Amino acid sequence: MYDRRAAGPEEIVAGSTKMPLDPGRLMPVIAHVLDSVTELRRAMPDAEWRVHMDDLDVPWDEAEGYALPGMRDADLIAELAAVHDGDGAAG
């Protein structure tokens, strides 16, 4: 969380998080973070929200909340984990 003293008077929450370097953990962590921000937005529906990952605006969907394509795709997550695990394997 950023220092609220540096925020404007209308800003309630501002912050960032570092994503894991392990590709097999990346999508589950993204899903967890976006699910958390979705819960916050639904708890404060009258607030204005902006959610970004680097330069990418994360879209809001009334039914799903904040989400990115593939973030819950078990096959994609397994493939990313396998690629990462293969990088460190002795050859």
Side-chain angles (χ1 to χ4, degrees):
M1 303 308 290
Y2 298 144
D3 184 355
R4 289 215 5 109
R5 293 173 292 193
E10 298 295 317
E11 190 169 86
I12 298 169
V13 176
S16 65
T17 189
K18 186 172 180 159
M19 293 291 137
L21 297 177
D22 178 349
R25 289 190 19 83
L26 181 61
M27 294 305 235
V29 169
I30 288 173
H32 177 77
V33 169
L34 292 180
D35 287 348
S36 297
V37 175
T38 294
E39 287 184 43
L40 281 171
R41 179 175 175 151
R42 289 190 171 138
M44 296 184 286
D46 295 332
E48 181 180 323
W49 290 86
R50 289 184 291 282
V51 176
H52 310 276
M53 289 184 64
D54 292 325
D55 293 331
L56 172 71
D57 288 334
V58 180
W60 173 255
D61 179 89
E62 285 297 326
E64 191 173 0
Y66 289 109
L68 294 175
M71 73 179 200
R72 298 184 201 289
D73 183 330
D75 292 335
L76 175 60
I77 293 167
E79 183 178 332
L80 290 171
V83 167
H84 181 262
D85 291 343
D87 287 345

